[in-house]
């Protein structure tokens, strides 16, 4: 880091001690321009999409919308859903920590999210010989389930308004199937065996559980891939926190 940049950071930090809080200060997000990821800031009630993620497998103008909706569309819908997970629900529209839900809504949420806590808590990580922590990861689980389903419904609405798109050559998949494949690919990672322990110290799941858990909870996926009822990806009992109208 150059001396001029260090001086700027120092002066900016010093000013913040005496000036009113500015939650939308560009400096806060400036360093994330090259970050390939997305963020939800509950204190400012905003989602952040750095320029670097609007490329590659997440988004491109020259590829079918079912792939874009499955990747960046899923990421955006997941961020929005984070605003209503176990932590997001505690912040109001101004980013203030406030209990703004009516008691009946809060009670119903707690009841519904318990299903996901139990579901993900039963996933076994063979590398560690341990089960996942369903309580610690409930926020990400709620968001990925709601986000994936809502991105799918958004794509269906686009098809209704604009008609179906051409399929990818050489692949025997429908547009909806390619949506799910694109969504799963956006979370795919090559994980080192020793890094699995890190998932027990934070709120993020190993990706394979995040993908399979969310897909197995929606009837849309099961229908599009004709999964047998009672199979691993189409269980009889599914978890759903937010029901789409």
């Amino acid at each position: 880091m150059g001396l001029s940049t260090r001086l700027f950071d120092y002066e900016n930090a010093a000013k913040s001690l005496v000036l009113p809080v500015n939650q939308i200060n560009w400096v806060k997000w400036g360093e994330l321009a090259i970050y390939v990821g997305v963020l939800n800031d509950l204190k400012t009630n905003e989602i952040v999409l750095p320029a670097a993620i609007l490329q590659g497998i997440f988004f491109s103008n020259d590829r079918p919308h079912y792939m874009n909706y499955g990747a960046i569309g899923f990421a955006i819908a997941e961020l929005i859903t984070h605003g209503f997970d176990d932590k997001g629900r505690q912040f109001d529209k101004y980013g203030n920590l406030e209990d703004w839900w009516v008691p009946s809504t809060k009670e119903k949420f707690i009841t519904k999210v318990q299903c996901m806590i139990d579901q993900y808590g039963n996933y076994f990580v063979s590398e560690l010989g341990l089960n996942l922590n369903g309580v610690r990861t409930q926020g990400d689980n709620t968001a990925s389930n709601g986000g994936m389903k809502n991105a799918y419904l958004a794509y269906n609405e686009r098809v209704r308004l604009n008609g179906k798109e051409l399929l990818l050559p050489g692949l025997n998949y429908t547009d909806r199937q390619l949506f799910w494949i694109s969504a799963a690919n956006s979370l795919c990672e090559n994980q080192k065996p020793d890094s699995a322990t890190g998932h027990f110290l934070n709120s993020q799941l190993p990706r394979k559980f995040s993908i399979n858990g969310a897909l197995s909870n929606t009837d849309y996926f099961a229908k599009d891939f004709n999964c047998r009822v009672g199979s691993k990806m189409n269980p009889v009992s599914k978890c759903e926190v937010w029901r789409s109208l």
Side-chain angles (χ1 to χ4, degrees):
M1 183 182 293
L3 290 178
S4 59
T5 304
R6 289 181 181 274
L7 178 60
F8 175 83
D9 284 344
Y10 173 79
E11 292 179 343
N12 184 69
K15 290 178 182 178
S16 68
L17 296 175
V18 296
L19 295 177
V21 174
N22 180 8
Q23 292 283 24
I24 59 174
N25 186 354
W26 69 269
V27 178
K28 180 179 180 180
W29 305 118
E31 63 185 16
L32 294 177
I34 60 173
Y35 172 64
V36 182
V38 292
L39 297 168
N40 182 312
D41 188 353
L42 299 175
K43 294 180 180 179
T44 58
N45 192 23
E46 64 183 349
I47 62 176
V48 182
L49 301 173
I53 199 174
L54 299 176
Q55 60 182 330
I57 67 168
F58 289 96
F59 177 81
S60 177
N61 281 329
D62 61 357
R63 69 177 187 172
H65 288 283
Y66 46 75
M67 297 188 70
N68 287 334
Y69 274 76
I72 197 65
F74 164 43
I76 293 172
E78 183 178 27
L79 288 180
I80 294 174
T81 311
H82 263 304
F84 303 92
D85 64 14
D86 60 311
K87 293 184 178 66
R89 70 180 180 83
Q90 301 181 59
F91 291 82
D92 65 14
K93 63 181 180 180
Y94 302 109
N96 298 319
L97 187 62
E98 182 179 345
D99 187 8
W100 58 282
W101 284 13
V102 297
S104 60
T105 300
K106 183 164 57 176
E107 291 172 8
K108 186 172 291 187
F109 172 85
I110 293 173
T111 299
K112 283 179 169 288
V113 84
Q114 185 62 47
C115 178
M116 287 197 177
I117 292 175
D118 296 338
Q119 174 191 358
Y120 286 86
N122 284 324
Y123 286 144
F124 181 73
V125 183
S126 58
E127 295 90 341
L128 299 177
L130 296 170
N131 282 39
L132 294 174
N133 189 321
V135 175
R136 188 185 296 273
T137 61
Q138 62 178 294
D140 271 1
N141 302 339
T142 304
S144 62
N145 276 262
M148 194 169 286
K149 181 171 62 177
N150 284 314
Y152 178 81
L153 293 174
Y155 175 69
N156 280 347
E157 179 64 10
R158 189 192 185 283
V159 172
R160 186 184 70 82
L161 296 174
N162 301 281
K164 289 192 174 184
E165 303 172 273
L166 294 177
L167 301 179
L168 296 181
L171 296 177
N172 188 26
Y173 294 114
T174 67
D175 57 336
R176 266 95 173 165
Q177 289 175 330
L178 288 166
F179 166 90
W180 298 115
I181 293 172
S182 179
N185 281 339
S186 72
L187 294 181
C188 187
E189 68 178 3
N190 187 9
Q191 183 186 43
K192 295 181 180 179
D194 59 352
S195 69
T197 55
H199 291 292
F200 289 86
L201 302 177
N202 56 42
S203 61
Q204 191 176 64
L205 288 174
R207 293 302 195 185
K208 64 180 179 180
F209 299 108
S210 186
I211 296 168
N212 291 343
L215 294 181
S216 66
N217 278 331
T218 171
D219 290 324
Y220 300 120
F221 174 83
K223 179 180 178 181
D224 290 339
F225 278 95
N226 195 28
C227 298
R228 178 179 55 81
V229 176
S231 62
K232 182 178 180 180
M233 297 306 294
N234 187 19
V236 175
S237 298
K238 296 179 173 63
C239 295
E240 182 183 56
V241 175
W242 301 112
R243 177 168 296 177
S244 302
L245 298 178

